Amino acid sequence: MPIKYHGNALEILLKQCYTTSYCQRSIRRRAFASTTAAADINNDEVSNIAVLGGGITGLASAFYLSKELPNARITLYEGSSRLGGWLHSKQINVGDGQVVFEQGPRTLRPSIPNGLVTLELVRQLDLIDEVLTTSKDSFAAQNRFLYYPDHLVRMPGPGTSIWQIILMLLGEPVFKGVLPGCLGEPLKERRPSNLQDESVGSFLSRRFGSPIADNIVSAVLHGIYAGDVYQLSVKSLLPKMWFFEGQESSVAEGLLKSWSEGAQPTPPEDMIVLEDLRKKLFDSESKPMPGVERLQEIQKSSVFTFKKGIGQLADRLESVLEANPNVQIKKDTRVDSLSLVQDEADPQIQVTPVSNKTSSFEPHNHTFTHVISTLSGKTLNAITQPTNSLSPLAVTPAVTVMVVNLFYSNPSLLPVHGFGYLLPRSLPFDQNPERALGVVFDSDATIGQDNVPGTKVTVMLGGHWWDGWDSYPDEEEGAYMAKAILARHLRIGEEPNVVRVGLQKECIPQYTVGHSDRMRETSAMLESKFKGRLRVAGNSYTGVGLNDCVRAARDVAMGLVRGERKTGLEAFVGEEKWVKQDPRKTLEWWHGTKS
């Protein structure tokens, strides 16, 4: 019995980072100090809104605002010539057909609640018929690998029996020391009361031993954050494990208590979002609205995407916003400065946009009743006036990732089938001199997207390994490095038919130790210096995943509409709380079940 329990504990730990929304949502949220006392904004005052940044968060923010405040004027500023940010899908002609290459995210998890927020957006945009799903019994859902020390290792997951897990723990070098670490975790002392945060690597090494941090979780974080397990914050990335250690005598005891009680610690605002979704998706008689039954089918899948790639979501948002006469989109227009216009009765935000198209363009100041910034934290701090008005944001680093898409006409190249594999920090250098993060088997992960047979893979390079670099590999070097990785690890020696290389500079913010404290401090600065007129959302703050960004866009827009939130960072403010909920009862309305 004890072995069975601790084996399952390992599987749950992996799922927290790999297959559930905890790591994707990232932030342990807090109860609002007050949701009614802050409701001091009249909708009539929210008449002229600027949205800074045209990535997925900016597009979704503008969309939600246009729906909830149909009479408000909305101006969206984007510094580049295209919208969508890191969502970048491209259809490539190959022979008589086409393949889709993704330079950013490629699939979405229909997790609850954030994935459900995205699905509701898909329904509103009339994109349901464009969705492609990957079932939970597919190779991509069942088979996920690490590469260590010189071969692929299938990780515990769906379809893995307890006996298979035990054999893996005892036989694979990547798991050496993991079983003793899990068995001994309940005997470890609880953290000191004055320890406010620490790195994921430090926490896991302290509770479970270093092998699980170095060999397993470091690889998982390579796949999500492209980050260093010894720099990223455990309080932000593994909030429930941090909570369990603080509340109980051990993580294992917290997990066991949750199982025995049939209730999971849940952020209170997640319950508010779920109730909002229930009202939108079901009528007063609990009957599903049009399209909801299809959403329920999608939510049962492992992951989903779109027929033309994830970028189709951004494209549809752009087209819907362009058709709205109250929305103005200004591409190639960056915001050079942003400041509060001091007026006790009616404070406003002054924005100075600058065109990138012509040097003869003379900037003019524009004033808005409210501004939502979806820019990176560093960029926002750089443009706010006075200088460094939001100084805690200046220390949020971001990593650069090179993405190499490769397509081979041979459909039988892969030695195994699954979602792909990740590379841990402990991998010997001679097995990863290119400093790759992982490889995605796109042919398995997004079946039905391409109309020509073949093998499609994506190699991700760099991330925290490239921190401090002044220059990066060019496209030719990137292609060479990716092919070298595939040859060494998968024995693929063929030349690809098509290669596409993209360098995504500073694309993933890093929630390093102290992130939650810095966000709390930033929230106070936004409140005091910008009087609730400037709010933030995006991957610098409450989660780096696409679902996180859509959820943040919805939250900041609805907060503005309802007058409940003044900065977008209230999740970091006030007393830290969890509410215990039985997931089955909480989601009866969604699954159509009664307990």
Side-chain angles (χ1 to χ4, degrees):
M1 187 69 175
I3 293 179
K4 179 178 180 180
Y5 167 70
H6 287 291
N8 285 340
L10 171 62
E11 183 175 353
I12 285 180
L13 172 62
L14 293 172
K15 284 182 177 180
Q16 276 214 17
C17 268
Y18 215 164
T19 60
T20 73
S21 63
Y22 302 149
C23 218
Q24 296 167 2
R25 184 167 67 235
S26 302
I27 299 302
R28 172 185 175 182
R29 301 173 188 272
R30 296 161 171 80
F32 299 128
S34 170
T35 56
T36 56
D40 56 0
I41 297 177
N42 188 307
N43 278 357
D44 292 337
E45 298 177 10
V46 188
S47 58
N48 190 14
I49 309 166
V51 176
L52 312 186
I56 185 62
T57 313
L59 288 169
S61 297
F63 174 79
Y64 286 123
L65 289 169
S66 69
K67 288 293 185 181
E68 299 295 332
L69 299 171
N71 296 322
R73 297 189 307 278
I74 301 166
T75 305
L76 187 150
Y77 294 101
E78 167 54 41
S80 71
S81 60
R82 58 173 290 275
L83 301 179
W86 304 118
L87 277 64
H88 203 173
S89 309
K90 188 173 181 63
Q91 293 180 290
I92 305 292
N93 293 323
V94 178
D96 296 329
Q98 288 185 325
V99 299
V100 175
F101 279 167
E102 298 279 15
Q103 284 285 297
R106 63 208 60 247
T107 56
L108 293 168
R109 288 196 173 279
S111 55
I112 291 176
N114 291 8
L116 195 53
V117 172
T118 301
L119 285 175
E120 162 58 5
L121 177 62
V122 169
R123 187 183 76 92
Q124 291 189 66
L125 294 171
D126 198 23
L127 276 174
I128 292 178
D129 291 340
E130 297 298 308
V131 170
L132 292 174
T133 60
T134 300
S135 68
K136 289 184 177 178
D137 59 3
S138 66
F139 285 126
Q142 302 254 340
N143 299 335
R144 293 167 180 267
F145 301 91
L146 298 187
Y147 188 90
Y148 184 91
D150 58 5
H151 60 277
L152 294 175
V153 181
R154 182 174 179 267
M155 300 305 291
T160 308
S161 71
I162 184 62
W163 301 112
Q164 288 175 312
I165 293 175
I166 292 173
L167 289 175
M168 290 179 189
L169 292 175
L170 296 176
E172 282 290 350
V174 73
F175 293 117
K176 184 178 180 181
V178 169
L179 184 57
C182 289
L183 292 170
E185 192 275 335
L187 305 177
K188 300 290 179 66
E189 291 186 7
R190 189 159 47 184
R191 66 176 177 262
S193 59
N194 62 349
L195 182 61
Q196 299 301 308
D197 196 4
E198 64 183 312
S199 73
V200 173
S202 172
F203 173 84
L204 293 176
S205 297
R206 182 168 55 79
R207 299 300 314 176
F208 298 92
S210 59
I212 198 167
D214 294 339
N215 297 347
I216 300 173
V217 177
S218 70
V220 175
L221 297 187
H222 280 168
I224 300 172
Y225 289 88
D228 183 353
V229 69
Y230 287 98
Q231 297 293 324
L232 295 167
S233 160
V234 67
K235 192 174 182 180
S236 296
L237 271 63
L238 299 177
K240 288 194 178 182
M241 297 190 76
W242 179 261
F243 171 75
F244 283 145
E245 187 200 22
Q247 292 295 115
E248 313 296 342
S249 61
S250 69
V251 175
E253 183 176 337
L255 289 170
L256 184 59
K257 186 175 286 189
S258 290
W259 292 336
S260 63
E261 295 175 351
Q264 295 291 330
T266 304
E269 57 271 35
D270 281 6
M271 305 304 298
I272 297 172
V273 169
L274 288 172
E275 178 61 17
D276 285 349
L277 290 172
R278 185 187 67 79
K279 293 176 181 178
K280 282 186 174 292
L281 295 171
F282 292 82
D283 63 21
S284 58
E285 298 179 354
S286 298
K287 293 180 181 179
M289 302 294 284
V292 169
E293 291 180 350
R294 172 58 178 150
L295 291 190
Q296 290 173 319
E297 293 176 6
I298 296 170
Q299 202 274 320
K300 294 176 182 177
S301 67
S302 173
V303 295
F304 70 95
T305 184
F306 301 95
K307 294 176 182 178
K308 296 180 182 178
I310 287 291
Q312 201 168 347
L313 178 61
D315 292 342
R316 180 60 61 87
L317 281 166
E318 180 178 0
S319 63
V320 169
L321 291 172
E322 284 182 334
N324 189 325
N326 283 346
V327 177
Q328 188 174 19
I329 297 175
K330 293 182 175 291
K331 300 179 187 178
D332 284 306
T333 305
R334 72 183 189 276
V335 172
D336 193 53
S337 69
L338 179 154
S339 59
L340 179 73
V341 178
Q342 295 288 353
D343 185 329
E344 285 259 345
D346 185 25
Q348 295 193 345
I349 299 292
Q350 181 173 280
V351 170
T352 305
V354 177
S355 173
N356 294 333
K357 287 186 175 180
T358 171
S359 59
S360 62
F361 178 86
E362 291 191 12
H364 296 281
N365 295 329
H366 298 266
T367 56
F368 297 91
T369 59
H370 295 83
V371 172
I372 294 176
S373 172
T374 67
L375 304 173
S376 74
K378 266 189 177 179
T379 300
L380 178 60
N381 178 61
I383 65 173
T384 51
Q385 302 298 323
T387 304
N388 283 329
S389 293
L390 304 174
S391 56
L393 298 181
V395 298
T396 301
V399 295
T400 295
V401 177
M402 177 168 277
V403 180
V404 185
N405 309 116
L406 306 98
F407 179 82
Y408 302 82
S409 59
N410 183 350
S412 305
L413 276 182
L414 296 175
V416 295
H417 289 284
F419 194 87
Y421 67 94
L422 296 169
L423 307 176
R425 74 189 307 273
S426 55
L427 189 65
F429 180 78
D430 61 359
Q431 289 293 327
N432 187 23
E434 296 83 5
R435 292 309 194 193
L437 302 163
V439 177
V440 180
F441 302 161
D442 296 298
S443 303
D444 291 340
T446 54
I447 295 174
Q449 207 170 54
D450 308 324
N451 57 18
V452 57
T455 298
K456 183 172 66 173
V457 299
T458 299
V459 179
M460 297 166 290
L461 304 159
H464 73 96
W465 294 122
W466 290 356
D467 285 351
W469 287 26
D470 296 325
S471 61
Y472 303 100
D474 60 26
E475 291 189 11
E476 183 178 352
E477 291 168 334
Y480 176 84
M481 294 162 70
K483 288 186 286 185
I485 284 283
L486 297 177
R488 185 182 308 113
H489 295 172
L490 304 179
R491 304 293 185 263
I492 295 177
E494 295 185 19
E495 278 296 311
N497 296 67
V498 184
V499 179
R500 185 178 181 224
V501 181
L503 185 67
Q504 317 300 338
K505 290 186 176 180
E506 298 189 342
C507 60
I508 307 179
Q510 302 294 286
Y511 298 170
T512 54
V513 175
H515 177 78
S516 60
D517 288 341
R518 292 190 293 273
M519 295 304 101
R520 182 172 61 252
E521 187 179 352
T522 300
S523 182
M525 289 179 169
L526 285 167
E527 181 74 37
S528 63
K529 297 180 180 181
F530 293 94
K531 312 302 180 186
R533 300 296 172 145
L534 171 62
R535 301 164 187 239
V536 298
N539 65 0
S540 282
Y541 312 103
T542 55
V544 302
L546 194 154
N547 285 336
D548 303 320
C549 292
V550 173
R551 163 73 185 272
R554 180 196 176 280
D555 285 353
V556 77
M558 295 307 297
L560 181 56
V561 171
R562 296 169 177 170
E564 294 175 347
R565 299 184 175 191
K566 292 189 175 182
T567 69
L569 298 177
E570 282 75 15
F572 300 95
V573 178
E575 183 183 356
E576 296 179 333
K577 289 183 180 179
W578 294 89
V579 293
K580 288 191 174 182
Q581 295 289 330
D582 182 339
R584 294 166 299 180
K585 292 183 179 180
T586 302
L587 293 168
E588 283 177 352
W589 60 270
W590 174 249
H591 296 300
T593 59
K594 296 289 182 183
S595 55

